[in-house]
Structure formats: C-alpha cells, structure tokens
Amino acid sequence: MEEKKDNGTTKGLLILIVVFFMIIAGMVGFGLSGYSEFNILQSPDTGVSDKSNTDEEKPVKINEDKGDKEEHQDRKENVKLPKTETDSKLAAVRTSDLSDVVEKVMPSLVAITTEGEESIVSWFGEQTRKTQDMGSGVIVDKDQRSLYIITNNHVIDGARKLVVAFEDGSTAKGEVKGTAAYTDLALVEVKLDSLAKKTLDRIKVAELGDSNGIKVGQMVMAIGNALGYGQSLTVGYVSAKDRVVNINDITMKLIQTDAAINPGNSGGALLNLNGEVVGINSAKFSDRAVEGMGYAIPMATVKPLINELKTKKNITDTERGYLGIYYREIDDASHEAFNMPYGLYITDVADNGGAKKAGLIKGDIIVAVNDNETLKSDTINSIILGKKKGEKVKVTFCRYENGEYVKKDVNVTLAERPKTNN
C-alpha cells in the first residue's frame, strides 16, 4: 500500500513540475516576443532611429496600460519610411496634364496670316494670282509703341499683307521689322495703338528659356497654328541637340524632336514643362516623308537676333561698315578630315579693314558674329550689311593653338568701305 501511495505521490509531483515549467516557458516566451517586437520597430535598418540624438538609447518596456500604449503609438508616428517610386509616379501623373502650362503661355502666342502674289504660266500666258499662307509667332518683346513677334522668315517671305491674330480672337495689321533668311527667322511689329484695351490686358511677352540647358529625352511641347486650324498642342521629347541640317543652302544647328511640327506650326513655340520657350518651330526643315522628326531653331540662336532685327535699319553703301576679310566656308570634308569647326575660314585679311586692326589673322575660323552662329556666308553678310562704319561687332572665332582650336572673342570696329574703281 505504501509503495502505491509513494508512486501516486511521485506521479503527482512530476505533473506539478511539468505544469510549472510550462507556465515559466510561456512567460519567458511572452517576454521574448515583446522584446523582439520592440527591436524590430527600433532597428536602424528601417530608418526609424534618430541619428541626431546623442543620448544613449534606453529600452522601453511596452505594457498594456494606457500610458505605454500612447508612447508606443507616438513612436510609430515618428517612423520615417524609405523613399519609394511614389514620387516619380506622382511626377508622371503631373506631366500627363499640361493644361496649366498651356493656359500660361497661350497669351504669348499668335497666328499669322499672309497674303501675297505669285506668277503662273499657263496656255493663256503669264498670269498673277493671290496667295495666302498661315503660320505662327511668339511675342518676344514690347516697348511703349509696339509688340515684337518672332516667326519664321519663310512664313512672311513675299507677303504683301500680314495679319496677326491674338488669343482672344482679335486681329491687327503686322509689319515686317527685319529678316534673317540665313536662320529662317523674321521679326514682325504690331503697333500698340491698333489693339483694343482688352487685348492689351490679355497678351504677355513669352518667357524665353535656355536651349543650351535642355537634355535629350526631356519632354517638350510644340504649340502653333497647325494647318491654319488655330492654336494646337503636340507633345514629344528632345531627340537630339545641335543637329546640323542643310536645306535650300541654309545650314543650321537645330533641336530635333518627335513632337509633331506641321505646316502652320512654323514660327510657333517649342516649350519646356515650365512654359519657357526653348525653340522656334520650323516646318521648313521637316521632311514630310519621315515621321517623328521635327525641328526647332534653338533660343541660343534666336535671342541675339531679336535685338539685331529690332534695330535693323536700311543704310546706303557709303554708310556701311567694312570688316575686311576673305574667307571660305568649312565644308563637311574639312570638318571631318581636319576636325575644323564649322564656320568661315579666313584666307586673307585686308590691310584697311576692321578685322586686321582687331587682331584677326589668316587661318582663324569665324563661328559667330554678335552671338549669331556663322555657318554660312549669308549670316555674316546680312549682319554687316546692317551696320554703319564705326559700329562695333562681336566676332567669335577659333584659332589653332597647340594642336587644337581654341575659341576666342574680339570686338571689331567696322572700318570705312574702300572706294572701288568703276
């Protein structure tokens, strides 16, 4: 009987010991799980830990009472999550709606309608008929008397009558202030007294951007009077910068874009997403047989010409200044074979010209005059023809030094033209 009693007591003790250890294990497990939760929340890898706090961090025990719950909630609210793709996705959503940018720039854009005449030969002999063309323009300047609008030269070339239409639907007569056929640009003037007050209150001078700062792959917008239907928008990307294009003996460095540029878009604006004009669209340089290749004249070329054309005057041959150089154009073969920059290679310098006095020598290559790129002779001829003797012009040239061409600037005072024996 005693053995059975002892056995029963022994079994009872064993059961109590097992239950006791199970309770202890449960309590330890609970404590460990709570400690693990705290360390996960506090782990520096999640970006939660405050690196600016120099005090030694003390473990915080998380209990189920109200005060500790509030402290735990505060710690969660201070968690700084790592950056995700959310920002870029929001940017993509933002650029998908460009209506605010378009609304901002529309008062700076105009439609241009020109009327001219052309001669045609038929079975009935030579006849004259009226022609009409349409294009676009950008308001780039304003003074107390006039608005000044940049457009393409081919838009206004040969026009006898020129009508400018503004965003509010009003129209006014325009006059050609100056042209630069070598860059396919022209400046149109509209007198302020020909505009209604509501139009004057609405129109704005465009914000001119930096075309040198644009990047291939950057989104751009083209706005213009496409096909004469009124202002419309196309969107694309910058496909290439400084694309050398030659058409009708005009060689230029242009911005290439896949934004559609159609007839009527000529003279309109190529804009960045800030609404700044980075180029002037030109359908003249676009090939209709190729899709997704539009071109715009960069603002780096346009800006210097605005003031040049604005102040351009007709002067007589005796008043005209004299640069005094002989030159030849750098062709593709010379550019590729000798790494010569495109421009005008000086073959000789006249003794009585302004160039020699300014230090230009044989072998220098003129690449710009008054910040206008000089890739063809038409450029320099057009600029000098509008300058009087005694006026200064800024000449940018490249000189071969130590195995490479170094770009330099010099101010040249134009001399008096030498008399010719007739």
Side-chain angles (χ1 to χ4, degrees):
M1 292 295 292
E2 292 179 0
E3 291 180 359
K4 289 182 180 179
K5 186 176 180 179
D6 292 340
N7 289 340
T9 302
T10 303
K11 290 180 179 180
L13 289 172
L14 289 173
I15 292 172
L16 287 174
I17 292 170
V18 171
V19 171
F20 175 80
F21 279 108
M22 288 177 66
I23 293 172
I24 295 299
M27 293 178 64
V28 173
F30 175 79
L32 289 173
S33 65
Y35 182 75
S36 298
E37 179 186 2
F38 171 76
N39 276 284
I40 290 172
L41 289 172
Q42 191 69 13
S43 170
D45 293 337
T46 64
V48 176
S49 109
D50 187 357
K51 299 295 184 181
S52 63
N53 188 358
T54 57
D55 295 336
E56 183 179 352
E57 293 184 359
K58 297 180 180 180
V60 178
K61 184 178 180 180
I62 301 175
N63 296 322
E64 293 300 318
D65 61 275
K66 183 178 179 181
D68 285 337
K69 283 185 179 179
E70 289 177 351
E71 182 178 1
H72 182 54
Q73 181 65 29
D74 289 341
R75 295 184 65 84
K76 286 188 176 180
E77 289 176 353
N78 291 330
V79 171
K80 296 180 181 179
L81 297 176
K83 289 186 177 180
T84 65
E85 295 181 356
T86 305
D87 291 341
S88 61
K89 288 180 180 178
L90 288 174
V93 172
R94 185 166 60 250
T95 57
S96 67
D97 183 1
L98 303 172
S99 57
D100 56 338
V101 182
V102 175
E103 185 178 353
K104 171 186 172 183
V105 302
M106 276 300 185
S108 306
L109 306 177
V110 301
I112 298 175
T113 303
T114 63
E115 293 182 3
E117 292 182 352
E118 67 177 2
S119 298
I120 58 172
V121 179
S122 66
W123 291 101
F124 304 100
E126 185 174 347
Q127 296 178 318
T128 301
R129 68 177 181 183
K130 291 184 178 180
T131 61
Q132 189 178 74
D133 202 358
M134 296 179 181
S136 307
V138 180
I139 301 173
V140 292
D141 202 1
K142 177 185 176 182
D143 58 27
Q144 295 181 345
R145 295 177 23 177
S146 304
L147 282 179
Y148 297 96
I149 300 163
I150 201 76
T151 186
N152 287 143
N153 182 67
H154 74 264
V155 170
I156 56 86
D157 188 29
R160 291 177 175 267
K161 183 180 179 180
L162 195 155
V163 177
V164 177
F166 297 91
E167 186 212 9
D168 63 354
S170 63
T171 60
K173 178 184 177 183
E175 297 180 358
V176 178
K177 181 67 175 176
T179 62
Y182 54 90
T183 54
D184 192 31
L185 290 171
L187 195 68
V188 173
E189 181 181 13
V190 175
K191 300 295 185 182
L192 294 182
D193 58 14
S194 66
L195 301 176
K197 185 178 184 303
K198 65 174 184 177
T199 303
L200 287 172
D201 291 341
R202 178 64 182 162
I203 57 179
K204 295 194 306 184
V205 175
E207 295 183 23
L208 306 184
D210 177 18
S211 59
N212 292 326
I214 63 174
K215 299 178 181 179
V216 175
Q218 181 177 332
M219 182 180 285
V220 288
M221 301 172 287
I223 301 182
N225 183 25
L227 303 177
Y229 295 148
Q231 302 290 8
S232 61
L233 167 76
T234 58
V235 179
Y237 295 88
V238 176
S239 305
K241 293 176 59 178
D242 297 329
R243 181 73 78 198
V244 178
V245 178
N246 183 290
I247 185 169
N248 296 339
D249 294 327
I250 297 177
T251 301
M252 296 186 63
K253 289 182 180 179
L254 303 175
I255 301 169
Q256 182 183 326
T257 176
D258 63 350
I261 297 176
N262 298 299
N265 274 125
S266 288
L270 187 72
L271 303 151
N272 61 24
L273 296 187
N274 295 324
E276 299 169 333
V277 183
V278 294
I280 299 299
N281 304 323
S282 181
K284 180 183 181 75
F285 296 100
S286 299
D287 191 339
R288 295 184 184 181
V290 179
E291 293 185 3
M293 290 181 65
Y295 294 97
I297 303 166
M299 288 311 297
T301 299
V302 179
K303 283 182 181 179
L305 272 173
I306 294 173
N307 192 58
E308 193 81 45
L309 297 177
K310 184 179 175 182
T311 58
K312 191 172 184 179
K313 299 177 181 179
N314 292 324
I315 58 179
T316 64
D317 287 341
T318 56
E319 295 175 318
R320 188 168 295 121
Y322 180 59
L323 183 60
I325 62 169
Y326 302 89
Y327 59 85
R328 65 176 179 83
E329 297 172 3
I330 300 295
D331 54 18
D332 292 337
S334 299
H335 172 73
E336 294 173 4
F338 304 105
N339 198 29
M340 289 180 168
Y342 284 107
L344 306 178
Y345 179 89
I346 298 178
T347 59
D348 203 358
V349 181
D351 291 334
N352 53 352
K356 186 166 186 176
K357 292 181 181 179
L360 290 171
I361 60 175
K362 179 179 177 180
D364 289 342
I365 300 175
I366 297 177
V367 295
V369 177
N370 284 354
D371 294 322
N372 298 296
E373 285 191 341
T374 309
L375 304 180
K376 286 283 186 177
S377 59
D378 287 346
T379 311
I380 195 168
N381 289 339
S382 180
I383 294 173
I384 300 302
L385 285 173
K387 299 295 182 183
K388 293 182 179 181
K389 56 189 176 185
E391 285 191 61
K392 292 183 181 293
V393 293
K394 176 185 173 184
V395 176
T396 303
F397 65 98
C398 292
R399 179 170 291 174
Y400 194 74
E401 295 178 349
N402 300 321
E404 62 180 358
Y405 281 96
V406 180
K407 185 178 286 188
K408 301 171 181 272
D409 291 324
V410 66
N411 289 319
V412 179
T413 301
L414 298 179
E416 182 178 359
R417 294 181 64 84
K419 295 179 180 180
T420 57
N421 296 322
N422 294 327

